[in-house]
Amino acid sequence: MADRVVRPLAAKYDRLQEYPWEIRDALAEAGLFGTWIPKEFGGGGGGVLDLCLVVEELSRACGGVGVLFAVNALGSFPILLSGTDEQKHKYLEPIAKGEKLIAFGLSERPAGSDASGLITSAVEDGDEWVLNGSKKWTTNGGAADIYSVFAVTDPNSRSRRISAIIVEKGDPGFEIGRAEDKMGIRCVPVVELHFDGCRVPKDRLLGGRPGLGFKHAMMTLDRARPGVAAQAVGLAAGALEYATVYATQRKQFGAAISSFQMIQQMLADMASRVEAGRQLVHAAARACDAGVPQLTKMAALSKLFATDMAMQVTTDAVQIFGGYGYMKDYPIEKFMRDAKITQIYEGTNQVQRLVIARNLIKESGKLDHLSAFIPLPDHPNTLDDQARAERASPGA
Ligand code: CAA
């Protein structure tokens, strides 16, 4: 599918910056939009690992199509994690068939990395929720029919401030705002969403209980971040393939540049990094599917490593193409442009480091038995003290 349908159209939609509906139709026909959705809700019954395998393959051909697909998982995970059975049937079934697309509305102008600082509000009024505010960086916005939107429902609560509410295209007071002009992933729209007294029925509150939105947003990101990492692995693998083929064809000094050791070293380093990233993504995806306690850390590790790796590998691929690589006539510069966003969205790599470090520190409680081997500076019997005593009176 990636080679037959996506690759031939990648440059066209990058240039046009338009949603590739023909690719969406082909993916829907192949049943791929149900990959991560349980069979009882019309999906294929796969998990995060299956999602990652598909995203990697699509991204090898076009990073924009990789996210165009993966972002539907990001949008539907809040429903899967916290929706009622009725909500799951209503929203997941058309998503699984590829009939409806979904987007995820968390970030706002004042609340990017500081996601819990969001200010869009939802107030109960009779049988409805009334939403006011705006969302920023909503990938798939405008193309999507369904939106998982996070809003403040209890401004006075610290831990139960935010709830997730479904907003549908056409709801009164809901408008799609400015579409961004982007460096990469140009075939998928990234827009602002505006809610101006937007009224939705009360049963759109996910799970029917307010206050759990932030937790569910974080749990969603845990399961979606390996998908971004898979997009990065796909981009890096695709760039490596192009660079390898180019190196065997391009002749300089009377020989294919692939015969030069400096190029061989670059290709070998790129290949080892891609494979390391891929294995980490699979391990993180399996951790998510198994629901192990370390899944938050694993997801962040995979996103951090794979996306930094993709930036490096795609940049090296451009280097192997030389001056030609810098030109839009060649497919390789797009890989570098598409890779950059993977270090930024679904939590910057600075946020991933924060998540990893917080979890390492939390887990260190299980390593108490190591304390006995670590002399602390303020401990009366440190090795240092012993060494000093030994120096003062040798052999004593
Ligand atoms: N799973 C479950 N619960 C979690 C959790 C997790 N992974 N992480 C945090 N929580 C819970 C905590 O236990 C805590 O609960 P209590 O209040 O009951 O104790 C609560 O959530 C608050 O947690 P923190 O104190 O850790 O929250 P924080 O304000 O310090 O934020 C953060 C932590 C990691 C920085 C978080 O805000 C974050 O991940 N920021 C990045 C947001 C992000 O990724 N945005 C991207 C949006 S999607 C996008 O890019 C656009 C697109 O369309 C592709």
Side-chain angles (χ1 to χ4, degrees), residues 68-142:
L68 165 157
F69 175 75
V71 78
N72 292 282
L74 175 69
S76 49
F77 282 147
I79 305 176
L80 266 170
L81 286 167
S82 66
T84 61
D85 246 29
E86 208 179 333
Q87 289 167 332
K88 288 181 185 169
H89 280 292
K90 179 172 175 194
Y91 293 111
L92 297 179
E93 284 176 8
I95 292 168
K97 286 187 200 133
E99 288 169 0
K100 287 191 175 173
L101 303 173
I102 183 164
F104 180 77
L106 178 68
S107 302
E108 300 181 1
R109 287 188 187 200
S113 292
D114 181 11
S116 67
L118 65 87
I119 55 176
T120 291
S121 64
V123 175
E124 268 182 289
D125 183 26
D127 285 340
E128 293 173 321
W129 289 99
V130 184
L131 286 93
N132 280 290
S134 294
K135 292 288 167 185
K136 187 85 184 157
W137 315 130
T138 307
T139 309
N140 231 11

Side-chain angles (χ1 to χ4, degrees), residues 152-270:
V152 177
T153 47
D154 186 354
N156 300 317
S157 169
R158 198 196 64 82
S159 58
R160 301 205 149 210
R161 216 175 135 255
I162 294 168
S163 304
I165 293 176
I166 296 288
V167 177
E168 295 180 21
K169 196 179 223 166
D171 280 335
F174 173 43
E175 270 183 31
I176 304 296
R178 171 198 155 96
E180 306 294 345
D181 186 4
K182 306 181 296 304
M183 173 196 278
I185 58 157
R186 286 169 58 85
C187 69
V188 59
V190 172
V191 305
E192 289 186 346
L193 309 177
H194 300 299
F195 308 97
D196 184 11
C198 168
R199 289 184 169 273
V200 304
K202 231 171 172 176
D203 64 8
R204 298 273 193 86
L205 178 74
L206 275 184
R209 271 197 311 147
L212 300 173
F214 188 69
K215 210 172 214 44
H216 290 141
M218 293 297 109
M219 290 169 69
T220 291
L221 287 165
D222 287 343
R223 285 147 185 85
R225 283 172 179 159
V228 177
Q231 183 196 358
V233 171
L235 279 163
L240 173 61
E241 285 167 359
Y242 271 134
T244 309
V245 172
Y246 181 82
T248 59
Q249 291 174 358
R250 171 72 172 160
K251 287 205 169 78
Q252 286 293 280
F253 305 103
I257 62 170
S258 60
S259 66
F260 304 149
Q261 287 189 344
M262 272 196 243
I263 297 289
Q264 290 178 357
Q265 183 189 16
M266 285 177 81
L267 292 173
D269 284 349
M270 289 156 78

